Amino acid sequence: MDTQIKLKGDKVIEQIPSTKDKALRINLNDNIYGTFAEIGAGQETVRHFFRSGGSSGTIAKAMSAYDKDFSDAIYGIETDGRYVTESRLKKMLTHEVNLMERRLSREKHPNKMFFSYANTVATIDFAKQFKGHGWVGIKFQIEPDEDYNEIIIHIRFKETDARLQQETLGVLGVNLIYGAFYKYNDPKKLLRYLYDHLEKDQLEIDTINFSGPRFADIDNRLMSLQLVKNGMTDAVMFDPEGKNILPASILYKKNILALRGSFRPVTSVNMDMYEKSLNMFLAESKVEKDNTLVIFEITLSNLRSEGEIDERDFMDRAELLCSLGQTVMISNFQEYYKVVEYFSNYTKARMGLAMGVNNLVDIFDEKYYRHLSGGILEAFGKLFYRDLKVFLYPMLNEDGEVITSENLKVHPRMKELYKFFKFNGKVVNIDGVDPHTLEVFSREVLKMISNGKTGWEQMLPKGIAELIKEHQLFGYDPNRVLENSK
């Protein structure tokens, strides 16, 4: 593939080396030396290094333990019996690095930076029902006497031809190895460069994790945010410990209850909605507590500040939600039906959406569906054709009246459509809400915090106010509070 040139107007801002040039630069570096272990799609990455020339200085070994028994004999048997897993990839990387350290003398190779590249993938099946996915990673040194760094990614193929998927995997592998050695000091750029000579409709990267001495200061949640921000994937997820998790594995066959919000900051209203809707959801038939996952979703549009993603703001919200033991999803989905479609890729079980009255009114606004040929009817077909229910949290209007599903007002043209879904039990009220709780608004809390006011603490879940003060989140300034108290 030829060198790509990126332009800004008429000005060349960047020249991207070809895949061959990247492989050749690695090969001509006397100090980079390692192994390639590729399972599932042939030896698609290493062939670029063989073909570019000078590969004897880079490739210590290339292998493909394609047979399952051979693979198990080398890397061990997985407890779940699967092969395309993160666990398998990590075993491959560790095994191959350990072999290099045992078989190659450091005295003979004092300046060598060892690496192990590996992938374990499943390309599209013969019936073309499953497009395929895989784990790709590299374990590498930047200095000969330094501990190993690691970059691990999960990919989902979008192409519908096995040969094309193999070629895509090969290019991605070269980009990853090149980025590891020449872009490690700027992980955000490294991430973008993974798509050199590739298009977003060829490949999706939905999980990435950096580890090791060179990435000690990297927050992998921020790297996840970059995946969504760069359009590499539609959604990423991380657990209460702050670790990136693979959506497919955590969503698989689960009952899902999702709450969307800005959570800026998370308030007592958010947690009341969560607790009450979860109790109602668990009372539904076909919903088992042990197989239910609650997701707090933040859309990318809620992370924008003056047109750009405010990463500090994102981290503030994430820290608080994690402290409450919640699983968080960051998505590119503006419309609710896209969230449901996304979940439906992984589960056919019952789903629930917990939302406020304002959100439901927005759902019945036609302007959000003008890009669909079937308009709002197409959107609602996608939203409600699954086993889904909306749990509606009430709202206080300006007159102090409590608004529920019974007295909310939608556009006159939408009135009959709304009645249809209400009559069929797709929209149910969350009852038993304390009217005083409805007087809490996150935007007012945020204003009080940034202006140094007091009294906002009791509007938040237990322990959250202390974290905001301790870490001075959302513009909290203790000096401003002191000034206001004088």
Side-chain angles (χ1 to χ4, degrees):
M1 294 181 181
D2 296 331
T3 300
Q4 288 182 342
I5 297 176
K6 287 187 177 180
L7 300 174
K8 192 171 185 179
D10 296 330
K11 185 180 178 182
V12 175
I13 58 172
E14 188 175 17
Q15 288 190 350
I16 300 173
S18 67
T19 304
K20 180 181 179 181
D21 287 343
K22 286 185 175 186
L24 182 60
R25 185 178 176 187
I26 294 285
N27 283 349
L28 295 180
N29 188 322
D30 294 334
N31 296 327
I32 298 177
Y33 200 56
T35 64
F36 294 76
E38 304 185 65
I39 296 177
Q43 295 185 288
E44 296 303 322
T45 299
V46 75
R47 72 184 176 90
H48 285 285
F49 291 87
F50 279 126
R51 289 179 175 180
S52 66
S55 59
S56 61
T58 295
I59 303 171
K61 180 183 76 172
M63 67 171 294
S64 180
Y66 209 83
D67 181 85
K68 291 180 179 180
D69 292 335
F70 267 79
S71 183
D72 287 342
I74 297 169
Y75 303 117
I77 300 174
E78 298 298 319
T79 54
D80 59 8
R82 295 186 297 157
Y83 293 85
V84 185
T85 65
E86 183 179 18
S87 173
R88 172 62 76 180
L89 178 72
K90 286 187 172 182
K91 286 178 182 176
M92 293 169 69
L93 292 171
T94 300
H95 177 85
E96 299 301 336
V97 161
N98 289 341
L99 278 184
M100 286 196 71
E101 292 286 358
R102 288 202 302 268
R103 293 175 176 175
L104 298 178
S105 167
R106 283 289 182 180
E107 292 182 3
K108 186 177 180 181
H109 305 284
N111 299 318
K112 293 291 188 187
M113 300 179 294
F114 290 157
F115 76 91
S116 174
Y117 167 84
N119 64 52
T120 172
V121 303
T123 53
I124 193 167
D125 66 325
F126 187 75
K128 296 189 184 296
Q129 287 184 312
F130 304 100
K131 288 186 179 179
H133 71 112
W135 289 93
V136 182
I138 182 171
K139 206 175 181 78
F140 65 104
Q141 294 177 301
I142 294 302
E143 297 291 343
D145 56 350
E146 187 178 79
D147 285 342
Y148 285 85
N149 305 286
E150 196 171 77
I151 306 172
I152 289 178
I153 62 178
H154 181 264
I155 62 173
R156 303 186 72 83
F157 292 111
K158 293 187 175 182
E159 294 165 308
T160 55
D161 179 88
R163 181 183 60 83
L164 294 177
Q165 290 182 353
Q166 291 170 345
E167 292 176 0
T168 294
L169 180 65
V171 175
L172 175 73
V174 175
N175 289 341
L176 177 60
I177 297 169
Y178 184 85
F181 284 106
Y182 294 114
K183 303 295 179 184
Y184 66 86
N185 58 341
D186 192 343
K188 288 183 182 179
K189 277 190 177 180
L190 187 157
L191 203 59
R192 290 200 305 272
Y193 293 158
L194 291 177
Y195 276 88
D196 285 357
H197 310 291
L198 295 172
E199 300 296 333
K200 304 287 172 56
D201 58 1
Q202 293 175 267
L203 185 75
E204 175 186 352
I205 300 175
D206 59 3
T207 302
I208 188 161
N209 280 296
F210 294 84
S211 60
R214 296 287 172 160
F215 304 123
D217 297 327
I218 296 300
D219 189 315
N220 283 308
R221 289 172 297 182
L222 282 181
M223 291 300 104
S224 283
L225 178 60
Q226 298 304 313
L227 292 177
V228 183
K229 180 182 177 182
N230 296 340
M232 298 175 179
T233 189
D234 287 323
V236 293
M237 298 178 67
F238 48 88
D239 63 19
E241 284 72 44
K243 296 177 182 176
N244 291 339
I245 48 179
L246 181 65
S249 62
I250 195 170
L251 297 172
Y252 185 64
K253 291 187 176 181
K254 287 286 198 303
N255 296 297
I256 299 170
L257 176 65
L259 296 87
R260 170 179 288 187
S262 63
F263 307 114
R264 195 173 184 252
V266 56
T267 67
S268 55
V269 170
N270 299 131
M271 298 312 293
D272 192 49
M273 183 189 300
Y274 152 69
E275 291 166 1
K276 287 183 168 58
S277 63
L278 178 58
N279 288 334
M280 294 174 69
F281 189 54
L282 293 175
E284 296 277 317
S285 61
K286 305 180 187 176
V287 177
E288 298 177 5
K289 185 175 182 179
D290 293 339
N291 195 46
T292 295
L293 178 68
V294 179
I295 297 172
F296 281 68
E297 184 213 6
I298 306 174
T299 64
L300 204 62
S301 59
N302 279 330
L303 289 174
R304 297 196 181 279
S305 175
E306 298 178 359
E308 290 297 324
I309 299 297
D310 186 337
E311 294 183 353
R312 181 64 257 172
D313 185 69
F314 160 73
M315 287 305 303
D316 291 352
R317 307 186 211 186
E319 295 287 353
L320 298 183
L321 287 169
C322 286
S323 74
L324 293 169
Q326 301 304 329
T327 298
V328 179
M329 181 169 89
I330 311 299
S331 83
N332 253 331
F333 308 126
Q334 188 169 5
E335 300 90 353
Y336 274 101
Y337 77 86
K338 290 184 178 179
V339 181
V340 175
E341 275 190 316
Y342 179 78
F343 291 151
S344 297
N345 290 327
Y346 307 109
T347 183
K348 307 304 178 191
R350 180 159 288 185
M351 296 181 209
L353 296 175
M355 66 179 70
V357 168
N358 277 340
N359 298 110
L360 186 63
V361 171
D362 282 344
I363 284 180
F364 282 87
D365 191 331
E366 290 178 289
K367 71 181 180 184
Y368 295 111
Y369 313 108
R370 286 171 184 154
H371 61 288
L372 296 175
S373 58
I376 193 170
L377 291 179
E378 179 181 342
F380 273 59
K382 293 177 178 179
L383 180 62
F384 285 113
Y385 89 103
R386 294 288 181 196
D387 194 1
L388 178 135
K389 188 170 286 188
V390 170
F391 299 98
L392 189 66
Y393 197 81
M395 177 188 79
L396 278 182
N397 67 11
E398 295 177 356
D399 300 325
E401 181 186 10
V402 177
I403 306 299
T404 68
S405 67
E406 308 299 334
N407 59 348
L408 71 81
K409 291 181 174 58
V410 297
H411 192 281
R413 283 203 303 271
M414 297 296 107
K415 192 175 292 184
E416 294 305 316
L417 183 63
Y418 170 71
K419 284 181 179 178
F420 171 79
F421 288 109
K422 177 80 172 66
F423 179 78
N424 283 280
K426 293 292 187 178
V427 180
V428 294
N429 290 317
I430 297 176
D431 296 320
V433 176
D434 185 344
H436 293 295
T437 305
L438 299 178
E439 297 173 358
V440 176
F441 297 95
S442 59
R443 60 181 179 274
E444 296 299 328
V445 173
L446 186 66
K447 192 182 297 182
M448 292 174 73
I449 294 173
S450 58
N451 290 339
K453 303 290 185 182
T454 58
W456 51 269
E457 293 87 347
Q458 60 265 32
M459 301 179 187
L460 308 184
K462 186 178 179 181
I464 296 300
E466 289 75 12
L467 286 173
I468 290 175
K469 291 178 179 180
E470 180 184 348
H471 300 291
Q472 297 188 17
L473 309 181
F474 304 114
Y476 176 80
D477 185 346
N479 294 323
R480 193 176 298 133
V481 176
L482 285 173
E483 289 175 7
N484 289 337
S485 63
K486 291 177 181 178

